[in-house]
Amino acid sequence: MGDRRQARELALQALFFLDMDKSDPDENLAAFCLNNEDLLTENVKPFFLDLIKGVLEHRTEIDALLHKYSKNWRITRMPVVDRNIMRMATFEFLKRPDIPSSVTINEAVEIGKKYGTKDSGSFINGVLDQIKSLEGIE
C-alpha cells in the first residue's frame, strides 16, 4: 500500500472516531495518533494530518457541497464511513489542486469498497462525480 493510501485510510479511521465521539477533537486526534504511531510514519503523517485538519477546518463548506449533490440524503443520515470518505475527497478537490480529481475519486471509491457497504463505492462515485462536474473541478 502506498503512503497516500495509508494516510487516507488512517484519516478515515480518525475522522470516523472524531465523528462518533463529540468530545474534544484535539484530544481525540492526539489519542488516535498515539495509538497508531507505528503506522503514522514520517512519509504518511504529513498527508494524514493535512486531510484531518483540512476536513475539520473546512467542514461547513464541504458538508454544504455534499448536501447539495447527494440527492435525497441528509449528511446526518449518510453512513458514517461514506460521509467521511466524501469529506476527505471534497477537501482534496477544494484545497489540494496538486492531486488530480480522477485520483481522488478513484481512491475514495476503493476505500469505500473496502470499509463501507456493498453500495458505498457507487454512492461515493456518484456524489463526487456530481461535485466535480457541476462545481467545475479539474
Side-chain angles (χ1 to χ4, degrees):
M1 174 183 331
D3 291 338
R4 284 205 169 174
R5 171 64 69 91
Q6 185 168 343
R8 284 181 178 103
E9 289 187 11
L10 287 167
L12 169 62
Q13 293 170 32
L15 288 168
F16 184 97
F17 176 52
L18 295 172
D19 210 3
M20 299 307 292
D21 185 338
K22 303 295 184 192
S23 60
D24 187 330
D26 291 330
E27 284 182 22
N28 285 341
L29 181 56
F32 182 89
C33 289
L34 184 63
N35 289 332
N36 291 282
E37 65 185 340
D38 55 323
L39 299 172
L40 289 166
T41 64
E42 65 182 43
N43 292 332
V44 171
K45 193 169 184 176
F47 188 56
F48 163 83
L49 289 173
D50 186 49
L51 289 171
I52 298 294
K53 291 178 179 182
V55 167
L56 294 176
E57 182 179 334
H58 301 285
R59 191 163 132 182
T60 302
E61 177 185 10
I62 290 167
D63 283 359
L65 285 171
L66 292 176
H67 175 74
K68 181 177 179 180
Y69 293 108
S70 57
K71 296 179 182 10
N72 302 319
W73 280 93
R74 290 183 314 208
I75 299 293
T76 56
R77 300 289 299 160
M78 289 178 185
V80 178
V81 169
D82 296 0
R83 174 174 63 226
N84 283 297
I85 290 171
M86 290 188 294
R87 282 175 172 160
M88 287 189 306
T90 304
F91 166 73
E92 287 185 31
F93 284 163
L94 298 173
K95 306 298 179 183
R96 293 296 307 257
D98 59 309
I99 302 171
S101 59
S102 59
V103 170
T104 295
I105 291 174
N106 184 60
E107 287 288 295
V109 168
E110 292 304 313
I111 293 169
K113 287 178 182 177
K114 183 174 180 178
Y115 291 98
T117 68
K118 67 179 179 60
D119 297 323
S120 291
S122 60
F123 177 60
I124 290 166
N125 185 61
V127 174
L128 294 178
D129 189 56
Q130 287 288 303
I131 293 171
K132 177 184 175 257
S133 299
L134 298 174
E135 290 295 318
I137 295 167
E138 305 266 335

